[in-house]
Amino acid sequence: MQRTIHRTMPTRMVALSLLPPPNPLAPKAPFGFGAFVIDPKCRGEASFALHIWGYGAGHDPAPMRDAIRALFDPETMALICAPSQSPAGEHAPAPFPDAYLDLVPRTGLRRNLFAPLPRHILASAGRVGGLDLPEVEPTPLARLGQIGCEAQAAWIFWLQAYCPVNCRRKLLAGYLAWRQLQRARALPVRT
């Protein structure tokens, strides 16, 4: 008897939070991205990596496109987070912003998921992972400071909404352990 294994997690996932560069006719503003890369392993384990890049007002957007494309291979699925400030009770699906089309590569047979998440839902998902995100729209410069947390919170939301309980528990436990290791590395060494 042959067993069929159903995979909930893609082979590789990149959760992106983007602050796209302004269009050429708009005033100059800072832009950047946060990318949380998840590479599932066997038995509900995964490796995690966080990439955060910010660019100053007037900077050429080509390096941002190149940095994002370097994170993708043919088996990568993108989860693109677009934080929004939707009115209470309104859950109309938002269209995919045109500014994102040029930034996120389409590779292999994997599809890209667009997640227009209201800020309060993103903040709630972030609290599950120990992340502190505001529920109100920050300034572009303040948003660059939290864009990596937005990407992680978007992945946590996806994990809670679309993964079976056993897989979710294992991946979330691995993620929380990874976060603790990252915090421990950031602490200054006292002699």
Side-chain angles (χ1 to χ4, degrees):
M1 182 172 156
Q2 193 174 19
R3 296 181 77 189
T4 304
I5 299 173
H6 297 284
R7 290 187 60 93
T8 302
M9 284 293 295
T11 305
R12 179 180 168 90
M13 179 182 250
V14 175
L16 285 170
S17 184
L18 300 167
L19 180 58
N23 68 43
L25 302 175
K28 294 180 180 179
F31 58 94
F33 73 94
F36 185 56
V37 181
I38 305 96
D39 284 310
K41 309 294 182 201
C42 62
R43 298 184 196 139
E45 297 176 5
S47 63
F48 305 99
L50 181 61
H51 304 271
I52 303 169
W53 290 93
Y55 302 89
H59 198 275
D60 178 23
M64 179 174 162
R65 281 191 287 277
D66 295 341
I68 291 172
R69 287 187 177 127
L71 298 172
F72 284 78
D73 64 27
E75 293 299 315
T76 303
M77 182 178 87
L79 172 65
I80 305 153
C81 171
S84 65
Q85 195 69 38
S86 68
E90 187 177 311
H91 298 291
F96 192 82
D98 291 336
Y100 290 15
L101 292 175
D102 188 38
L103 297 173
V104 181
R106 291 182 108 21
T107 57
L109 301 175
R110 292 287 174 189
R111 63 185 176 155
N112 293 336
L113 300 176
F114 178 61
L117 296 173
R119 286 211 160 270
H120 69 280
I121 291 176
L122 193 62
S124 177
R127 283 191 290 275
V128 171
L131 305 166
D132 186 26
L133 289 170
E135 293 188 15
V136 296
E137 184 71 30
T139 65
L141 199 54
R143 183 151 178 246
L144 280 177
Q146 67 193 27
I147 206 158
C149 291
E150 287 178 3
Q152 293 171 72
W155 176 73
I156 292 169
F157 174 80
W158 179 85
L159 190 68
Q160 291 176 322
Y162 297 105
C163 284
V165 175
N166 287 342
C167 179
R168 181 184 333 147
R169 285 182 185 152
K170 290 176 183 176
L171 287 171
L172 192 56
Y175 165 74
L176 292 172
W178 173 82
R179 287 249 319 139
Q180 290 294 346
L181 286 172
Q182 296 303 310
R183 276 193 222 140
R185 288 183 182 140
L187 292 175
V189 178
R190 295 182 184 172
T191 57

